[in-house]
């Protein structure tokens, strides 16, 4: 199986939307293309990157995007100011990646409400799209909701789809890279401190020695 399998099915993932109002009515839209998602019907993905192919396509970024429910993705979608977090339902051809997926069709499945975050607007949009509002206080609660309702692929399934062990190997490689980067930073700081110390010693003037000077008469 390829590293990015294309398969039919229905998936759920985390994502964010922006709010647009092209005709005065507030609607959800993709965070980058700002194309409104119609209420009451699914959005059909098309390639906007100049590719003459149906979406999603390998090697392209087209498709309805979603992130697998993980601690990092939950923090990411809940941290975005000015965007509406939620759960997307996707189906048709779905290309699975390690961190998420791209699909042919999608629709909002639920919107997420954090304390103090645009409650009136989120509830208005939830009514418009006929989806529930998930009230959470932190990423762990959003993940617990997804696990309880079996929303999203777990890591073992993604591992199997991407070929057994490949995702774990990539995670190990990233951890090694992170450790190496940290060591390089520490080494750079140590070199900088040593260079500064040596430079300070070199720049320091030698201690003054008083020598007898004959006075002129």
């Amino acid at each position: 199986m390829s590293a990015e399998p294309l398969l039919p099915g229905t998936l759920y993932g985390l994502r964010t939307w922006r709010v647009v109002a092209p005709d005065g009515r507030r609607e959800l839209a993709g965070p980058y293309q700002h194309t409104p998602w119609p209420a009451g019907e699914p959005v059909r993905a098309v390639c906007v990157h100049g590719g003459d192919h149906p979406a999603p396509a390998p090697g392209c970024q087209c498709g309805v995007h979603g992130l697998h429910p993980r601690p990092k993705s939950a923090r990411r979608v809940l941290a975005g100011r000015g965007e509406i977090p939620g759960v997307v339902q996707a189906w048709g051809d779905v290309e699975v990646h390690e961190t998420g997926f791209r699909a042919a069709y999608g629709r909002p499945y639920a919107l997420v409400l954090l304390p103090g975050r645009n409650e009136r607007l989120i509830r208005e949009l939830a009514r418009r799209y006929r989806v529930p509002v998930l009230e959470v206080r932190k990423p762990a609660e959003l993940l617990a909701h997804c696990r309880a309702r079996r929303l999203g692929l777990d890591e073992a399934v993604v591992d199997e789809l991407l070929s057994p062990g490949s995702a774990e190997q990539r995670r190990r490689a990233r951890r090694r890279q992170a450790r190496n980067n940290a060591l390089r930073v520490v080494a750079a700081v140590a070199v900088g401190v040593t260079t500064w110390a040596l430079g300070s010693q070199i720049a320091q003037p030698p201690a003054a020695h008083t020598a007898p000077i004959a006075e002129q008469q």
Side-chain angles (χ1 to χ4, degrees):
M1 188 174 291
S2 68
E4 299 168 353
L6 194 65
L7 54 103
T10 300
L11 289 182
Y12 298 86
L14 306 180
R15 64 164 293 148
T16 62
W17 292 268
R18 288 193 178 274
V19 179
V20 297
D23 57 0
R25 296 182 302 175
R26 292 191 282 196
E27 298 176 294
L28 297 172
Y32 302 111
Q33 298 300 326
H34 296 181
T35 302
W37 286 37
E41 59 183 283
V43 62
R44 172 68 168 94
V46 296
C47 183
V48 296
H49 304 286
D52 184 18
H53 52 244
C60 189
Q61 292 298 312
C62 56
V64 175
H65 287 240
L67 296 170
H68 302 313
R70 305 283 187 269
K72 184 176 181 179
S73 60
R75 290 192 298 269
R76 174 179 170 184
V77 301
L78 296 184
R81 294 283 182 175
E83 297 183 355
I84 306 297
V87 180
V88 64
Q89 180 184 22
W91 66 93
D93 287 338
V94 180
E95 185 174 280
V96 178
H97 300 258
E98 184 182 352
T99 58
F101 59 82
R102 296 183 290 113
Y105 297 91
R107 71 174 185 87
Y109 179 79
L111 301 183
V112 174
L113 173 62
L114 289 164
R117 289 276 195 95
N118 300 319
E119 179 174 1
R120 184 175 179 180
L121 172 61
I122 290 174
R123 294 196 183 279
E124 173 192 328
L125 290 167
R127 288 192 297 269
R128 177 166 177 76
Y129 286 88
R130 299 180 182 179
V131 298
V133 174
L134 309 180
E135 297 187 42
V136 303
R137 293 170 296 175
K138 52 189 178 181
E141 293 182 1
L142 176 56
L143 294 178
H145 177 90
C146 292
R147 284 194 297 268
R149 290 159 180 78
R150 299 181 181 275
L151 301 179
L153 299 176
D154 61 30
E155 294 185 53
V157 174
V158 173
D159 240 354
E160 186 64 27
L161 288 172
L162 297 180
S163 77
S166 63
E168 178 59 27
Q169 292 171 4
R170 287 192 293 272
R171 284 192 290 270
R172 290 175 180 172
R174 284 200 301 271
R175 287 196 291 268
R176 286 195 300 270
Q177 185 63 44
R179 286 195 297 270
N180 291 338
N181 290 341
L183 290 173
R184 280 196 289 268
V185 170
V186 172
V189 171
V191 170
V193 170
T194 303
T195 302
W196 174 84
L198 292 174
S200 298
Q201 293 177 1
I202 295 172
Q204 184 176 354
H209 296 283
T210 303
I213 299 178
E215 292 183 357
Q216 288 185 342
Q217 298 297 321

